[in-house]
Amino acid sequence: MGITFRKETFRDDFTFKNSPEHIRRFPFPFHEDAYMYAVNIEPHVVGPKGSVLENLIDVDEHYVAEMQDRALVLAEDPLRCQSLPHMTLAGWDLLELLMEQQALGYPEHFTLTRDGDRWRWINRPLGIDDTFTFGDTSTLPYGPMEYITRQSQGDFCILDQRDGNLWMDAGMVTTQADWSLDFDIGMNFFEWHAPVPLAHEKGIFVRALKFLTNIQQGKPARRLNWTMTINPRLDTSPENYHKWGPDRATVTPENVGDKVHLRVELQSFWRLPRSNGIVFPIRCYLIKMDELVTQPKWARRLHRVIRDLPDELANYKGLTRYRPALVEWLSKLDDGSATSPGFGPD
């Protein structure tokens, strides 16, 4: 049985919402009642059926709407997709990875057939049926990275490994949490993580870089990251801060449940076979407070996490202005009872 794709928007009238089934599969990022930065990296292996980890590349009910929103962003700002000249081979690596994973996990929606270098790609949800020569950019309407990431949920950064470091030398970034590909393109791992508070002093990024540079082909890894967003807006880029920044001043005790969204990134890391680069998919999931608190464990835990979050992290994540209203709203759903260990709902 195929996925039923929602007709919805992530801007203007904000009609995005999650179905009840999608609420329960949401990747809630807190396994305990407190949060602090850590090297929370684990092997990216297939998880439970019905979860966002059922397939290594997740496609869900928001797929078509997210691809439509990406096309709007790119029409407004083509620099959200950039690839330095030496990264074309890595783009072909990524095209192969995403086509294979989508066709494997969702054969009713995607089909890949290969006859040597002659490939045919069918994407039924988007009405695409293209035949091309693998490795020949002239046979595609875009470069290989842009072609396939216009058809894949989440952002994608391709990192070139050299000089003992990772360099952000290509990417498709239209659903980011307040950072800019155009600013970070060509930076190394420490440079683009420079704004993160507290983690540098703990040596977290030194350990993370050591881990990432040793990732082997066929053994991807993953981690969860999170922040919060007002309204279900995918594009919260610095370039468009004037559109979404003022939203933070619109939160009131009466509209917390509808306006405030937990924004979770499922980040994975894959070694690419030909280029030896690493691709860093950043898959964004959104859930409004009214949806999240249908799971009582999550309501209690989120209240405790946000209440006790260090001020430096609250400021970095942009929560300071509406944090008191959010904590007060969540407190009414926290009876003080214990929460079970782990991420999932009870």
Side-chain angles (χ1 to χ4, degrees):
M1 180 177 174
I3 301 167
T4 300
F5 299 107
R6 302 185 65 88
K7 294 182 179 180
E8 58 194 357
T9 58
F10 300 90
R11 57 180 68 208
D12 302 325
D13 55 351
F14 295 112
T15 61
F16 164 88
K17 68 176 182 178
N18 291 296
S19 66
E21 297 77 20
H22 205 266
I23 291 172
R24 287 192 61 85
R25 79 191 294 271
F26 185 81
F28 189 72
F30 308 112
H31 69 282
E32 58 186 6
D33 292 351
Y35 173 79
M36 178 52 72
Y37 274 115
V39 185
N40 58 328
I41 299 175
E42 63 181 5
H44 187 35
V45 295
V46 171
K49 187 174 178 58
S51 75
V52 300
L53 300 175
E54 180 178 353
N55 295 292
L56 296 183
I57 295 294
D58 185 41
V59 176
D60 65 17
E61 64 185 8
H62 307 298
Y63 172 77
V64 172
E66 288 190 25
M67 296 303 92
Q68 292 169 343
D69 194 76
R70 167 155 291 164
L72 292 174
V73 174
L74 291 170
E76 297 167 356
D77 184 1
L79 291 178
R80 302 298 191 84
C81 181
Q82 297 189 47
S83 180
L84 299 184
H86 63 282
M87 297 300 286
T88 301
L89 182 60
W92 285 108
D93 281 336
L94 178 59
L95 177 144
E96 178 184 52
L97 170 67
L98 292 177
M99 286 185 177
E100 286 182 344
Q101 289 295 324
Q102 289 178 335
L104 176 66
Y106 307 92
E108 66 276 29
H109 298 300
F110 306 96
T111 302
L112 174 64
T113 55
R114 290 177 275 202
D115 181 8
D117 290 338
R118 196 68 175 162
W119 292 24
R120 183 183 180 191
W121 171 245
I122 301 175
N123 177 331
R124 295 177 186 85
L126 298 185
I128 294 170
D129 185 343
D130 285 336
T131 300
F132 60 94
T133 301
F134 186 86
D136 183 351
T137 302
S138 69
T139 61
L140 287 175
Y142 306 98
M145 180 191 72
E146 181 173 356
Y147 176 78
I148 194 57
T149 56
R150 280 178 174 266
Q151 304 176 53
S152 304
Q153 287 172 278
D155 289 336
F156 296 86
C157 300
I158 306 183
L159 314 178
D160 192 30
Q161 184 167 329
R162 61 181 187 273
D163 303 327
N165 212 324
L166 295 172
W167 304 79
M168 190 180 295
D169 285 349
M172 169 70 86
V173 181
T174 67
T175 67
Q176 69 270 50
D178 198 13
W179 66 277
S180 170
L181 174 68
D182 192 39
F183 184 79
D184 287 355
I185 193 81
M187 286 188 180
N188 69 39
F189 187 79
F190 297 115
E191 290 169 338
W192 85 71
H193 282 110
V196 182
L198 303 179
H200 293 275
E201 296 90 328
K202 296 175 179 293
I204 286 173
F205 291 122
V206 172
R207 297 197 300 276
L209 179 64
K210 182 178 181 180
F211 178 89
L212 293 172
T213 54
N214 285 288
I215 283 181
Q216 299 176 27
Q217 186 181 341
K219 295 183 178 180
R222 66 175 177 241
R223 69 183 291 268
L224 292 176
N225 194 21
W226 71 276
T227 187
M228 306 199 86
T229 299
I230 307 306
N231 296 319
R233 190 187 296 273
L234 285 175
D235 178 17
T236 56
S237 59
E239 290 88 346
N240 278 338
Y241 181 79
H242 62 284
K243 296 181 180 179
W244 59 268
D247 291 348
R248 295 171 176 173
T250 66
V251 177
T252 68
E254 293 74 33
N255 65 22
V256 166
D258 184 57
K259 274 190 168 283
V260 179
H261 288 68
L262 181 60
R263 184 187 192 104
V264 174
E265 295 173 348
L266 172 57
Q267 304 175 349
S268 55
F269 313 89
W270 307 66
R271 176 71 66 187
L272 297 174
R274 301 170 185 83
S275 61
N276 199 45
I278 290 178
V279 65
F280 175 28
I282 308 168
R283 176 63 193 281
C284 173
Y285 297 85
L286 294 168
I287 189 169
K288 68 171 63 178
M289 291 299 99
D290 279 342
E291 294 172 339
L292 184 142
V293 301
T294 61
Q295 310 302 315
K297 169 186 169 179
W298 289 354
R300 297 195 304 272
R301 176 159 292 168
L302 186 62
H303 168 242
R304 298 165 196 180
V305 166
I306 301 299
R307 179 194 64 196
D308 300 336
L309 195 68
D311 289 342
E312 299 95 324
L313 290 182
N315 288 333
Y316 173 67
K317 292 180 180 291
L319 316 183
T320 302
R321 185 159 193 166
Y322 57 88
R323 183 184 183 187
L326 175 60
V327 170
E328 174 64 21
W329 189 85
L330 288 169
S331 71
K332 299 172 183 177
L333 300 163
D334 185 355
D335 60 5
S337 60
T339 54
S340 60
F343 298 98
D346 287 331

